[in-house]
Amino acid sequence: MSRINKNVILALLTLTSSAFLLFQLYYYKHYLSAKNGAGLSKSKGSQNGFDSTQWHAVKKFIMLTSNQNVPVFLIDPLILELINKDFEQVKNTSHGSTSECKFFCVPRDFTAFALWYHLWKNEEGWFRIAENMGFQCLKIESKDPRLDGIDSLSGTEIPLHYICRLANHAIHLVVFHERNGNYLWHGHLRLKGHMDRRFVPFRKLQFGRYPGAFDRPELQQITVDGLEVFIPKDPVHFLEEIPHSRFIECRYKEARAFFQQYLDDNTVEAMTFRKNAKELLQLAAKTLKKLGVRFWLSSGTCLGWYRQCNIIPYSKDVDLGIFIQDYKSDIISAFHDVGLPLKHKFGKVEDSLELSFQGKDDIKLDIFFFYEETDHMWNGGTQAKTGKKFKYLFPKFTLCWTEFVDMKIHVPCETVEYIEANYGPYIWIQCRIIPEIQCWLLLKCRMSDGRLW
């Protein structure tokens, strides 16, 4: 009997508890929800946002870098685009006043930051502390390309990328190194044989598919989702740089091999020409940048960069290329204003335009304008004495950044195809070893369809 009474009592208690729980749910749904309305809904959404894995990963990372004085700034394209859409409001947001997670809580696998490497003082200590905070970190290193021109130092390795994972979100820390020419460079993210290729979905990374070059950004500190971060002061400019940031190095190894076969000209005359040509190139670059005109190294100047990593001392001019759609009517006057008067003008804007400006010491600046067709590009040439026109064909190409005579400057990404379209397959022959007329016929003269004679 007592046993039955216990079972009955237990059943009654269970029934009573269930009824009370149902009453609480009913009360919450039909009374509290109606009373608090949208305010409760917003609070619930906000809590969900700030509880997200990616927000907590970013928060921990920012705490870590702030406490360790690690000079980082936000470069994540998705978040920068969202910030830029509401930039004025974000700039005026104070720390702790954010009630909704709008940026760092957007679902994604990575958040990208940049590290200003030359300002970093405690690399190893930071790495250990990150792991103690729960991060699993992967460090990617490679040779320092800035030392490739120095045999004894060319094997020195530098950090290029850090991937730090917390739960199912990862921070991609892109290491930016300073280069000659006052710009920032990051390297290719190339995994070594022993590294776990399943560590994160590497194919989804926004940075590291190839080396990149960026203008040195001015930074500003703002509050994003309650977290204080640094971002580029001009996020629009930085975002515009990303898809056009690909960088290719000069081929120092091949250049050294070239100079073993053909001794470099280190005469006073050659060194003077290189100095003057460098100054002319820097002046031209500054002038065209001010006009907002894209340009690249072309003809003999491009050949010198590719083959010798330097200006060819007997070329006697500086050659640049410009897409005709980037032509501006004030180019001639702009060069005149900086002391480079027009020497020759061949062709017209709509057909075969070529400009030549006179620099000091009889060094010319030649600008060739390129026209795009369906499956190729071309630039025109005009014979000075007869006025006869030629059309030189090039395969379609895109532009990459490189470093040349201490400058960040464009060259065709498809460099070999571009140079061989200009000079044929004999680019490793130095003209000075044969008479000038034979050199011209061998390396430059072509028919109007771009083939060698």
Side-chain angles (χ1 to χ4, degrees):
M1 185 70 179
S2 60
R3 185 172 182 178
I4 294 174
N5 289 341
K6 289 181 179 180
N7 289 338
V8 171
I9 292 171
L10 182 61
L12 288 173
L13 288 173
T14 302
L15 182 62
T16 303
S17 300
S18 299
F20 183 69
L21 178 61
L22 289 171
F23 172 76
Q24 284 183 313
L25 292 173
Y26 177 86
Y27 180 79
Y28 173 80
K29 180 178 180 181
H30 293 280
Y31 180 71
L32 285 179
S33 296
K35 183 177 180 181
N36 293 321
L40 181 63
S41 174
K42 183 177 180 181
S43 174
K44 182 180 179 182
S46 172
Q47 186 64 36
N48 288 340
F50 286 110
D51 280 345
S52 69
T53 303
Q54 54 262 36
W55 185 82
H56 275 288
V58 172
K59 179 183 178 181
K60 268 197 169 184
F61 175 77
I62 291 174
M63 289 173 54
L64 168 64
T65 55
S66 177
N67 292 337
Q68 297 297 312
N69 295 317
V70 183
V72 301
F73 58 97
L74 181 69
I75 59 171
D76 192 282
L78 174 61
I79 300 176
L80 286 180
E81 286 175 0
L82 292 173
I83 290 173
N84 186 60
K85 289 178 181 178
D86 204 10
F87 196 37
E88 290 304 317
Q89 183 177 345
V90 173
K91 282 198 302 183
N92 296 324
T93 301
S94 60
H95 181 67
S97 66
T98 306
S99 60
E100 185 179 2
C101 186
K102 296 170 57 178
F103 305 100
F104 288 127
C105 296
V106 176
R108 65 200 183 282
D109 295 302
F110 299 92
T111 301
F113 286 84
L115 166 68
W116 217 310
Y117 188 72
H118 79 286
L119 299 175
W120 199 10
K121 305 299 182 185
N122 186 24
E123 178 183 352
E124 294 304 323
W126 175 87
F127 204 72
R128 285 195 306 272
I129 295 172
E131 292 182 332
N132 291 336
M133 291 178 67
F135 285 101
Q136 293 176 285
C137 293
L138 184 67
K139 179 180 180 181
I140 291 93
E141 295 180 303
S142 190
K143 291 193 308 179
D144 188 344
R146 296 168 296 182
L147 304 177
D148 276 354
I150 307 173
D151 284 331
S152 60
L153 298 176
S154 60
T156 304
E157 290 201 338
I158 54 173
L160 300 180
H161 298 266
Y162 289 93
I163 310 289
C164 290
R165 185 179 65 188
L166 185 67
N168 62 352
H169 191 72
I171 304 297
H172 180 197
L173 187 56
V174 185
V175 184
F176 276 25
H177 295 269
E178 287 198 332
R179 298 282 297 248
N180 290 335
N182 196 33
Y183 67 96
L184 300 179
W185 169 91
H186 72 76
H188 183 196
L189 196 159
R190 183 179 287 112
L191 298 178
K192 296 183 178 180
H194 66 280
M195 293 181 174
D196 183 4
R197 280 160 171 73
R198 296 173 296 177
F199 184 72
V200 292
F202 289 100
R203 292 183 182 276
K204 295 183 180 181
L205 290 173
Q206 296 280 347
F207 298 88
R209 292 188 183 93
Y210 42 73
F214 292 82
D215 293 337
R216 178 195 295 270
E218 187 179 350
L219 302 180
Q220 65 176 336
Q221 189 176 35
I222 61 173
T223 300
V224 181
D225 293 338
L227 305 175
E228 292 185 356
V229 296
F230 284 96
I231 68 168
K233 194 170 185 178
D234 186 353
V236 174
H237 177 68
F238 186 84
L239 287 167
E240 289 173 347
E241 285 188 287
I242 293 174
H244 310 290
S245 62
R246 186 179 174 187
F247 184 96
I248 54 180
E249 295 286 352
C250 172
R251 296 152 50 93
Y252 290 105
K253 182 179 179 181
E254 288 78 2
R256 287 196 294 269
F258 179 80
F259 286 126
Q260 287 177 358
Q261 184 173 3
Y262 305 104
L263 293 180
D264 194 12
D265 188 347
N266 291 317
T267 62
V268 174
E269 181 183 7
M271 294 174 67
T272 300
F273 170 77
R274 280 178 168 154
K275 176 179 176 295
N276 292 337
K278 175 181 176 180
E279 292 173 355
L280 176 58
L281 179 57
Q282 290 175 333
L283 181 58
K286 183 179 179 181
T287 305
L288 291 171
K289 184 176 182 179
K290 189 175 181 180
L291 290 172
V293 175
R294 290 179 300 167
F295 69 95
W296 64 91
L297 302 181
S298 190
S299 302
T301 308
C302 186
L303 175 62
W305 165 78
Y306 179 78
R307 189 178 68 183
Q308 299 159 233
C309 297
N310 208 335
I311 295 170
I312 298 175
Y314 52 85
S315 57
K316 305 306 179 187
D317 57 17
V318 171
D319 302 309
L320 301 179
I322 294 177
F323 295 120
I324 194 62
Q325 62 265 31
D326 292 332
Y327 170 81
K328 293 189 177 180
S329 58
D330 52 352
I331 284 180
I332 295 175
S333 60
F335 277 110
H336 184 274
D337 291 344
V338 296
L340 299 175
L342 182 68
K343 184 174 183 178
H344 297 297
K345 178 181 178 181
F346 300 110
K348 301 177 181 178
V349 174
E350 60 272 17
D351 176 41
S352 306
L353 182 63
E354 178 185 341
L355 301 177
S356 183
F357 298 91
Q358 185 61 62
K360 69 177 183 180
D361 295 332
D362 206 32
I363 302 177
K364 290 192 297 118
L365 170 67
D366 291 331
I367 298 180
F368 304 95
F369 288 86
F370 282 68
Y371 300 75
E372 185 173 0
E373 303 290 349
T374 304
D375 59 352
H376 67 278
M377 295 182 178
W378 62 274
N379 75 287
T382 304
Q383 201 171 58
K385 292 183 178 179
T386 65
K388 186 177 181 181
K389 291 184 178 181
F390 299 89
K391 182 183 285 189
Y392 301 106
L393 305 187
F394 293 79
K396 285 198 169 184
F397 59 89
T398 54
L399 297 181
C400 286
W401 292 111
T402 193
E403 185 174 307
F404 184 62
V405 293
D406 299 329
M407 294 176 60
K408 169 175 167 264
I409 201 164
H410 274 130
V411 292
C413 301
E414 300 77 13
T415 316
V416 175
E417 294 84 351
Y418 182 88
I419 294 177
E420 289 189 351
N422 212 1
Y423 294 107
Y426 306 105
I427 60 175
W428 295 103
I429 298 175
Q430 182 163 257
C431 287
R432 294 186 69 180
I433 66 172
I434 56 179
E436 221 30 65
I437 184 63
Q438 292 181 31
C439 178
W440 174 262
L441 289 172
L442 180 62
L443 300 183
K444 290 199 70 172
C445 289
R446 292 170 298 166
M447 298 170 63
S448 62
D449 66 355
R451 292 176 298 158
L452 288 173
W453 278 358

